[in-house]
Amino acid sequence: LYIAARVLSSIGSDAMDRSVEEPLSVTTKFSLRVLGRMANFQAAVGLQQLYRLPERNAKLAENGRRLAEKLSDIPSIQPPPVKAGEEHVYLYFRVLVPQAKRFRALLLKRGIDTQPDDMQNCAGLDAFKEFAADCPVAASLPDRSIELPNTPRLSEADTDYIAKSVREVAAIISSAGAGGPG
């Protein structure tokens, strides 16, 4: 898929983003009762993974702190805020950037596969329509937010490369006259 994404991106297609933005449709012949059950083997594997959770979370946090530190001095980039004295696992490393789609395309050319913001403005969801309000900041996030890679498998060199590439792309977009993340 990475090669297909690179080819599509290089010709200006947003097919990958559109496929992610479309709602999932679940079609199955199984009943909900069957789908809700887990096989013994699945449960055994899942339980074993729980033993690795503290180690994996620590690595995610280490990578996230490293990325946040290396990106914190770029005026047009806003890494995830963390309050003093609090810990962050950085399961998703979302940053505010100028021109999110262009930013993602330029990072992809450097071999960094990012994700678009998948958060939705709650004020626009049917479940909250009776409480609907104008939320311009929430509504603008998809145009300003991307998710950078962060997995326990990333090395220091990987996170340094991601940070370096974000810095280069921010400079390119900034020199073209784009503003900050807003």
Side-chain angles (χ1 to χ4, degrees), residues 71 77-80 93-97 144-148 166:
L71 301 178
I77 305 297
Q78 185 178 339
F93 195 90
R94 289 190 174 102
V95 292
L96 295 181
V97 299
R144 304 182 306 130
S145 180
I146 64 172
E147 184 181 312
L148 296 176
V166 168

Side-chain angles (χ1 to χ4, degrees), residues 53-122:
L53 188 61
E55 173 190 335
R56 292 176 64 85
N57 282 349
K59 183 63 175 164
L60 285 172
E62 176 187 327
N63 291 345
R65 283 190 299 271
R66 187 174 185 86
L67 279 170
E69 179 183 310
K70 292 188 172 287
L71 301 178
S72 65
D73 67 331
I74 306 172
S76 62
I77 305 297
Q78 185 178 339
V82 179
K83 294 180 183 176
E86 290 185 359
E87 287 290 319
H88 198 310
V89 176
Y90 297 101
L91 179 60
Y92 301 104
F93 195 90
R94 289 190 174 102
V95 292
L96 295 181
V97 299
Q99 302 180 26
K101 283 188 177 188
R102 181 167 180 230
F103 211 98
R104 291 186 61 228
L106 291 171
L107 284 175
L108 188 60
K109 287 181 180 179
R110 288 164 172 73
I112 299 173
D113 189 14
T114 62
Q115 296 294 317
D117 187 305
D118 63 352
M119 304 299 286
Q120 292 189 15
N121 178 2
C122 291

